[in-house]
Amino acid sequence: MTYLPCVEIEPEQAANASVIWLHGLGANGHDFAGVVPMIALPNEQQVRYVFPHAPEINVTINNGYRMPAWYDILAMTLERKIDMPGLMTSVEQVQSLIQREIDRGIDSRRIIVAGFSQGGAVAYQSALTFTKPLAGLLVMSSYFATAKTIELDKNNRALPIHIYHGSADPVVAESLGLDAMKYLAAFGFQPQYHRYLAEHTVTAQQINDISQHIKQFLSIKSAS
């Protein structure tokens, strides 16, 4: 099977957990690789970090300019008119990466999905519809693009979710992050929302919080 190309960072010992982290529009898998040294985890948590590269496509809101993107964005509105077939294709590719981690010997309950901005929209759909229980979902500066159409999988109906958003985000308004939290709560989840005095970015404080949440996910979801 052909997988998305990825930047992969292996732990010092054999991996017993994985984080699959999706970048935003116009970036690539290297975008968040630099945060790994900042996520200090206990020795028993040997995490493989997987940072996929989105394919290059023509993006309508950027005058058709070709760039890395998980799907086309057709209009820059609060409703975020998007290319749903393109998004679902990316979801299939990300879920293939999750399954590859399982095939490599990682318990699905020790796999975390994370995403920033456009990658966060793919992360929501990928994690919440995956057919095996996952450890957690981390979504940064993003929106729940498929909230009105998603068919949740029973195995992830209790998935721990953390949402991170800048209060001064000019690209993805904070209201969209808050809307995602409301949708999730209506589905029965108990998402945790974290607000930062920041724009469309990931701050040092946010990375510190993410580090703590990864520790929590992996301490609860012990390997079988």
Side-chain angles (χ1 to χ4, degrees):
M1 180 175 181
T2 301
Y3 297 99
L4 288 169
C6 303
V7 176
E8 295 190 24
I9 300 178
E10 294 285 348
E12 293 182 1
Q13 301 175 32
N16 59 29
S18 300
V19 175
I20 299 174
W21 195 320
L22 311 181
H23 62 75
L25 177 67
N28 60 40
H30 295 283
D31 200 37
F32 286 104
V35 309
V36 171
M38 302 168 64
I39 302 177
L41 299 175
N43 289 336
E44 66 269 18
Q45 295 176 357
Q46 296 292 320
V47 176
R48 174 188 295 122
Y49 292 89
V50 180
F51 300 97
H53 301 295
E56 290 195 356
I57 64 172
N58 300 106
V59 178
T60 300
I61 61 164
N62 285 340
N63 297 316
Y65 183 77
R66 193 170 181 82
M67 60 171 51
W70 297 109
Y71 50 85
D72 192 12
I73 299 179
L74 306 174
M76 200 66 170
T77 62
L78 277 179
E79 291 75 24
R80 281 295 195 282
K81 186 179 179 184
I82 63 172
D83 163 30
M84 194 61 69
L87 186 150
M88 296 307 294
T89 295
S90 287
V91 167
E92 291 177 8
Q93 292 172 316
V94 171
Q95 290 184 334
S96 293
L97 292 176
I98 299 172
Q99 184 59 49
R100 183 173 69 169
E101 291 307 297
I102 296 170
D103 295 342
R104 286 169 159 178
I106 306 298
D107 187 325
S108 71
R109 294 167 295 176
R110 292 181 61 79
I111 298 174
I112 296 166
V113 179
F116 175 80
S117 194
Q118 193 188 47
V122 176
Y124 274 127
Q125 182 73 19
S126 299
L128 297 177
T129 64
F130 194 68
T131 57
K132 299 180 182 70
L134 299 173
L137 173 61
L138 308 173
V139 179
M140 298 147 266
S141 305
S142 191
Y143 52 98
F144 196 169
T146 56
K148 296 180 180 179
T149 58
I150 192 168
E151 295 183 11
L152 301 168
D153 188 272
K154 63 181 181 180
N155 288 296
N156 283 297
R157 290 301 297 255
L159 185 67
I161 303 170
H162 286 271
I163 300 171
Y164 314 85
H165 219 109
S167 59
D169 192 330
V171 178
V172 179
E174 188 188 7
S175 61
L176 294 177
L178 292 168
D179 284 346
M181 185 177 67
K182 293 174 184 176
Y183 280 121
L184 290 165
F187 286 138
F189 294 97
Q190 296 180 324
Q192 301 297 306
Y193 189 86
H194 310 273
R195 177 184 287 111
Y196 304 87
L197 184 58
E199 296 189 355
H200 195 64
T201 187
V202 174
T203 67
Q205 179 59 54
Q206 188 172 334
I207 294 299
N208 182 67
D209 292 344
I210 287 171
S211 175
Q212 296 304 313
H213 300 148
I214 290 175
K215 291 176 187 176
Q216 291 169 10
F217 289 163
L218 298 182
S219 64
I220 294 171
K221 308 294 184 181
S222 300
S224 59

